[in-house]
Amino acid sequence: MGVDLEKAPGEYELKVTGQTASGEKISCSARVRVRKGRFATERLQVGKQFVEPSPEQIKRADEERQKLRELFDRVTPERLWDGKFRIPLDGVTTGTNFGRRRILNGNPGSPHGGVDLPGTTGTPVHVAQRGKVVLAEELFFSGNTVVVDHGLGIYTFYGHLSEIDVKVGDALEAGAVLGKVGAAGRVTGPHLHWGLTVERARVNPLQLVSLLGNSPGVQVRQKASKPRAK
Ligand SMILES: [Zn+2]
C-alpha cells in the first residue's frame, strides 16, 4: 500500500488481505493516520513562453498523462521483484525535490512526483529491481522515459534519459542497465528523474530503498524533501 503525496491528512482504514500457503484467506484492518507532509515551494517569475505550452503541447501532455494513468491502474498479480531495491545510479545515495511545488508566475503546478538524482550525461541507469518494461518512449515533460512494472502495483519511472537501451516487453533482471542519464524533456540540466508508484500512489522511491534495503552499508539520506509531522 502506498500513500500518495497529495493524500489529504486524516484517519484512514487500512485493510490487509492475504492467503496462507494452504489457501486459507485471511484479512485484518487497522486505522492509520496520514499526517501532513511538508514539501518545499518555489516561486518563480519567468517569460510567458517558458510557462505556457502551445495547445498542441498541452494536448500531447494530457494524452501522455492519461496513458501513464492507465498503465499504473494495471496491477500485475505476481510479484516480479526479488530482494532489495537499489538507487538507479552507482554511488548516488540521495535524491532531492520530492513533492516540491513550483509556482510559476503565480500558478501552482502539480507537485514533483519523484526524486532527482545527480548524474552526468551518459551515466548508466540501472533498474531498481527485477521487472518488465511497460513504456520506453519520448514524453513531453520527461523526455526519453522508461517505466518498469515490478508486479503487485509497483512501478518505477526513469526520466530525461539521453538514451533508452530497452524496449516494451523486455524482462529486466535487478540492476540491468535500461538507459543513460541525460537532459531530455523539460529540464535545465542532466539528471535522472526517478519515480515510484504503488497502486497509483506517488511515493518517494528512497523510502522503498530504505524499507527494502539498498546494498548493506549504504545509508540513504533524504535532503530537503523529507516529510515532517506538523
Ligand atoms: Zn524530476
Side-chain angles (χ1 to χ4, degrees):
M1 186 206 88
V3 177
D4 186 73
L5 78 101
E6 287 191 288
K7 184 104 179 159
E11 284 224 4
Y12 293 89
E13 191 179 344
L14 168 67
K15 222 175 168 170
V16 181
T17 56
Q19 214 171 357
T20 63
S22 57
E24 190 192 344
K25 286 205 164 49
I26 44 171
S27 75
C28 69
S29 67
R31 302 288 294 173
V32 291
R33 176 172 283 276
V34 172
R35 288 185 300 191
K36 190 173 165 57
R38 286 229 298 239
F39 303 115
T41 300
E42 210 178 11
R43 282 165 209 281
L44 297 170
Q45 294 289 331
V46 293
K48 255 189 162 183
Q49 69 274 26
F50 298 110
V51 190
E52 288 169 17
S54 69
E56 298 81 61
Q57 290 173 321
I58 292 173
K59 186 165 175 277
R60 180 182 168 194
D62 283 347
E63 284 167 2
E64 291 173 353
R65 199 170 300 124
Q66 182 59 30
K67 181 175 181 171
L68 287 170
R69 207 172 290 144
E70 283 165 16
L71 269 184
F72 297 146
D73 274 350
R74 252 174 263 156
V75 175
T76 300
E78 317 91 85
R79 190 183 84 162
L80 304 177
W81 85 86
D82 181 25
K84 293 163 176 173
F85 276 73
R86 59 160 290 167
I87 291 176
L89 304 182
D90 283 336
V92 171
T93 57
T94 189
T96 53
N97 294 333
F98 183 76
R100 185 205 57 204
R101 207 179 268 276
R102 238 181 206 163
I103 302 183
L104 286 178
N105 300 354
N107 299 314
S110 44
H112 187 257
V115 290
D116 292 329
L117 305 178
T120 50
T121 298
T123 304
V125 176
H126 302 268
V127 67
Q129 241 298 340
R130 186 197 284 165
K132 205 174 119 193
V133 177
V134 290
L135 181 138
E137 64 183 64
E138 197 228 331
L139 302 180
F140 178 65
F141 282 109
S142 50
N144 294 324
T145 303
V146 171
V147 176
V148 177
D149 178 9
H150 301 286
L152 304 183
I154 296 187
Y155 290 88
T156 49
F157 180 107
Y158 309 80
H160 311 309
L161 304 172
S162 57
E163 182 188 306
I164 294 178
D165 297 331
V166 292
K167 56 186 190 316
V168 171
D170 283 358
L172 304 181
E173 283 306 317
V177 172
L178 56 80
K180 309 281 189 316
V181 171
R186 295 202 127 202
V187 285
T188 48
H191 68 274
L192 177 69
H193 177 98
W194 184 36
L196 166 69
T197 304
V198 181
E199 289 181 341
R200 277 176 286 171
R202 293 159 296 169
V203 179
N204 188 332
L206 296 173
Q207 286 177 345
L208 186 69
V209 175
S210 37
L211 212 63
L212 294 178
N214 219 10
S215 40
V218 175
Q219 264 244 288
V220 174
R221 292 186 299 126
Q222 291 181 35
K223 275 205 292 204
S225 55
K226 191 174 183 182
R228 271 181 294 157
K230 208 174 182 180

